[in-house]
Amino acid sequence: KRVLSVVGARPQFIKAFPVSKALSGVHEEVVVHTGQHYDTMLSGVFFEELDIPEPAYNLGVGSGSHADQTGRMMIELDRVMDAESPDVVLVYGDTNSTLAGALVAAKRSASLVHIEAGLRSGNRAMPEEHNRIATDHLADVLIAPTERAVETLRTEGVDGEVHETGDVMYDALLYVRKRANEISTLRSDLGIDSTEYVLATIHRAANTDDRDRLGGIVDGLSSVDMPVVVPIHPRTERALHEYGLFETANEQLTIIDPVGYLDFVHLLDGAGLVATDSGGVQREAFYLDTPCVTMRDETEWVQTIDCGWNTLVGADGSRISRALARIDSPATKPQLYGNGQAAPRVAEVIANA
Ligand code: UD1
Ligand code: UDP
């Protein structure tokens, strides 16, 4: 099949990495980068260190309001799909790049395949929730990571065919874990070569666009009695400056630029605890047996909560502080998101799409 993969934001490059590997030699893939993320440390670094085909197109759309960003992506993607006539359009996750790809593909003859279908936070105030729901209802083929996601799709009555494959992000992690720990020197560069540190990431709009929430997170993380390493998303850095919180945060926490995937996996593998509002990082922490504290009011990855490896704490400083003070890993860990062989299953499904 002639597959056109649409990517644009950091987690999509990582998800595309195992899938592109599995497509290679079986299908013909054209990668289109919308340009939603454009800083080297949010984009270029992943193409350098991972085996993802160089994008045939970079649409250079950049940042903007939801409508402006999505609309410009759609106009450009329409031209690309005219030129490439794909059999299959592949979209990942829940970003504006996902929605744009889905909306353009849905009105064409190409089959629209959505990887990471059926995830829901139940919070309609989240831009990603709209992107997920709309994409799932437009898709011809839905690739769901779990049985629960499959059930959600059935309950919502989607039209497309649904396949349960496990999580492609688990495949990605298994590919790089060993190499990350061999190559990365970041832990020792930061002087934290032990498990006695917390790795934290924050970028969710609900947290960055609300001074009280972001302030609560900074307070909570600052209360920890060990180093807290924060590779900072540019959106969060800007918000900290805007709210006058950057200096305090920078004194209390080890704020560093965003890092590449290998460095990140190395940091995550060594951390005693993870505190995050990221979708990807919650389950990477789970895969690496690192207990996670999720600084959100709800999550799409509910099973990590149910089995005790993840704790939802919202953005309240004292709740975050209490959760981080009590590091304990449950005695057992279920296999929730497949066996790390999701991407080859995706390639098989695409053959019949
Ligand atoms: C986007 C996704 C989010 C995903 C995240 C992954 C949407 C609605 N949001 O959020 O679901 O979890 O990516 O990281 O699609 N910026 C830069 N450099 C860049 C990119 C962004 O400085 O290379 C700054 C700009 O100020 C921009 C802001 O970050 O306005 C937000 O970027 P945007 O792509 O709109 O959303 P994210 O918050 O990154
Ligand atoms: N990540 C990374 N460097 C960082 C922070 C995160 O490589 O500095 C990776 C992380 O391993 C995960 C992905 O980025 O695979 C998560 O992306 P993000 O948190 O931006 O988005 P989300 O998953 O919330 O959509």
Side-chain angles (χ1 to χ4, degrees):
K1 292 278 166 69
R2 191 165 165 73
V3 180
L4 189 134
S5 299
V6 180
V7 292
R10 169 167 70 187
Q12 294 167 333
F13 311 135
I14 293 162
K15 291 166 197 171
F17 150 62
V19 175
S20 291
K21 252 183 189 315
L23 295 181
S24 162
V26 186
H27 302 284
E28 190 189 343
E29 187 186 24
V30 177
V31 176
V32 182
H33 186 328
T34 63
Q36 177 169 351
H37 284 177
Y38 43 87
D39 287 352
T40 304
M41 292 315 289
L42 286 187
S43 171
V45 64
F46 302 103
F47 290 89
E48 273 164 35
E49 65 182 11
L50 303 174
D51 204 5
I52 323 168
E54 205 42 48
Y57 300 85
N58 187 323
L59 309 179
V61 165
S63 308
S65 72
H66 289 283
D68 176 69
Q69 191 182 48
T70 311
R72 282 184 293 124
M73 286 175 192
M74 287 179 68
I75 293 168
E76 296 302 322
L77 283 169
D78 205 31
R79 294 193 182 123
V80 172
M81 289 187 210
D82 269 344
E84 296 290 338
S85 306
D87 302 312
V88 169
V89 173
L90 193 53
V91 296
Y92 293 87
D94 55 16
T95 73
N96 289 345
S97 298
T98 317
L99 180 64
L103 284 167
V104 176
K107 294 186 183 174
R108 295 175 160 269
S109 60
S111 184
L112 172 64
V113 178
H114 183 208
I115 295 192
E116 218 172 85
L119 276 298
R120 299 289 181 267
S121 67
N123 177 1
R124 286 280 192 146
M126 242 186 128
E128 293 86 354
E129 188 78 348
H130 296 282
N131 295 344
R132 293 178 191 122
I133 293 172
T135 302
D136 283 344
H137 285 266
L138 292 168
D140 299 297
V141 178
L142 298 103
I143 308 282
T146 61
E147 199 183 317
R148 187 188 178 106
V150 172
E151 278 162 21
T152 301
L153 294 168
R154 300 232 188 279
T155 310
E156 287 184 12
V158 295
D159 282 337
E161 60 179 67
V162 179
H163 297 267
E164 183 189 338
T165 62
D167 179 16
V168 296
M169 224 173 203
Y170 189 23
D171 298 29
L173 191 61
L174 294 179
Y175 271 124
V176 305
R177 184 180 191 179
K178 188 160 169 280
R179 183 154 64 101
N181 285 323
E182 278 164 9
I183 290 179
S184 176
T185 57
L186 191 53
R187 249 145 57 185
S188 47
D189 296 348
L190 292 169
I192 49 158
D193 213 2
S194 78
T195 59
E196 298 293 302
Y197 64 94
V198 176
L199 175 64
T201 77
I202 312 130
H203 75 280
R204 202 55 62 199
N207 287 335
T208 61
D209 298 1
D210 181 327
R211 192 192 186 285
D212 289 344
R213 288 184 69 96
L214 196 55
I217 289 173
V218 170
D219 286 349
L221 295 178
S222 301
S223 74
V224 180
D225 211 10
M226 53 184 166
V228 178
V229 182
V230 188
I232 195 123
H233 189 294
R235 171 176 202 145
T236 315
E237 185 171 9
R238 236 193 22 202
L240 286 173
H241 281 295
E242 193 184 316
Y243 303 146
L245 294 169
F246 188 81
E247 296 309 320
T248 322
N250 203 27
E251 270 166 31
Q252 303 285 332
L253 312 171
T254 307
I255 294 184
I256 59 174
D257 285 338
V259 298
Y261 187 51
L262 298 180
D263 278 337
F264 195 81
V265 168
H266 177 66
L267 281 182
L268 194 52
D269 210 359
L273 250 184
V274 168
T276 191
D277 60 11
S278 158
V281 176
Q282 283 176 68
R283 42 210 222 269
E284 286 170 340
F286 177 77
Y287 300 142
L288 294 172
D289 304 335
T290 311
C292 183
V293 167
T294 294
M295 301 180 290
R296 287 179 50 192
D297 299 329
E298 73 289 306
T299 179
E300 301 76 37
W301 304 95
V302 269
Q303 290 109 316
T304 59
I305 309 279
D306 296 343
C307 69
W309 281 86
N310 191 2
T311 311
L312 269 183
V313 294
D316 174 71
S318 53
R319 275 188 76 192
I320 296 171
S321 166
R322 278 200 304 277
L324 290 173
R326 184 181 46 82
I327 305 177
D328 47 352
S329 322
T332 58
K333 200 182 79 171
Q335 190 162 54
L336 296 178
Y337 301 118
N339 59 2
Q341 289 293 316
R345 281 282 298 125
V346 171
E348 273 169 36
V349 171
I350 285 178
N352 302 313

